[in-house]
Amino acid sequence: MKKTLLILLSIVTIACSEKESQVSSPPPFDPPMTDEQVQLAGNLSDSDLLKIDRQLLKNSAVQYRKSARVIGATMMDIQKEYPGVPDVFYSTRLINLVEQNRLEAQGDLRRMRYSEVRLAK
């Protein structure tokens, strides 16, 4: 129940932000990771990265979904195993999966709230 509520809240927040962006200038890129976050992400093993990638794929679908939704769901699923790993890191893993042709994307992946991904056909 709590997970569903958090996802719905994220979707509403994204929808409201999109309305605002139609009137204002283009949205900024996602912020870079801090030095501390880079160090934390650098400590992840290859098996950790594989697990994160699998979860990102699991939270993707054949229809396009907002990148932020896929990332948020993934973070909620594995947050206990990887505390402190920021959403921006998950975004880089999403980009990596697109580059590997495991996901397809539309929009600018450097702006996770303004891009979408789906499983590659």
Side-chain angles (χ1 to χ4, degrees):
M1 175 74 170
K2 183 178 180 182
K3 182 177 177 180
T4 304
L5 189 58
L6 288 172
I7 291 172
L8 289 174
L9 181 59
S10 296
I11 292 169
V12 169
T13 302
I14 290 168
C16 291
S17 296
E18 286 178 350
K19 282 187 177 184
E20 291 173 10
S21 72
Q22 293 172 356
V23 184
S24 61
S25 62
F29 293 121
D30 296 333
M33 290 191 288
T34 65
D35 291 340
E36 180 181 316
Q37 292 169 332
V38 169
Q39 184 177 8
L40 182 65
N43 290 332
L44 296 172
S45 68
D46 288 341
S47 63
D48 292 331
L49 298 177
L50 185 59
K51 186 171 187 171
I52 289 169
D53 288 351
R54 280 191 205 136
Q55 196 63 40
L56 285 165
L57 291 167
K58 183 179 175 184
N59 287 313
S60 299
V62 294
Q63 74 277 9
Y64 279 107
R65 288 185 176 169
K66 290 284 186 185
S67 298
R69 175 183 175 189
V70 173
I71 291 166
T74 299
M75 290 178 72
M76 288 190 321
D77 290 340
I78 58 178
Q79 65 184 341
K80 291 179 184 173
E81 296 173 68
Y82 306 108
V85 176
D87 57 349
V88 178
F89 175 76
Y90 288 88
S91 179
T92 63
R93 298 307 305 167
L94 209 62
I95 292 169
N96 185 268
L97 291 169
V98 170
E99 290 171 351
Q100 294 175 15
N101 295 318
R102 297 176 74 188
L103 290 174
E104 296 175 357
Q106 62 184 24
D108 189 342
L109 289 173
R110 295 171 297 172
R111 296 174 173 102
M112 72 180 93
R113 291 175 42 202
Y114 299 93
S115 60
E116 299 176 327
V117 294
R118 70 176 177 190
L119 295 170
K121 295 181 179 180

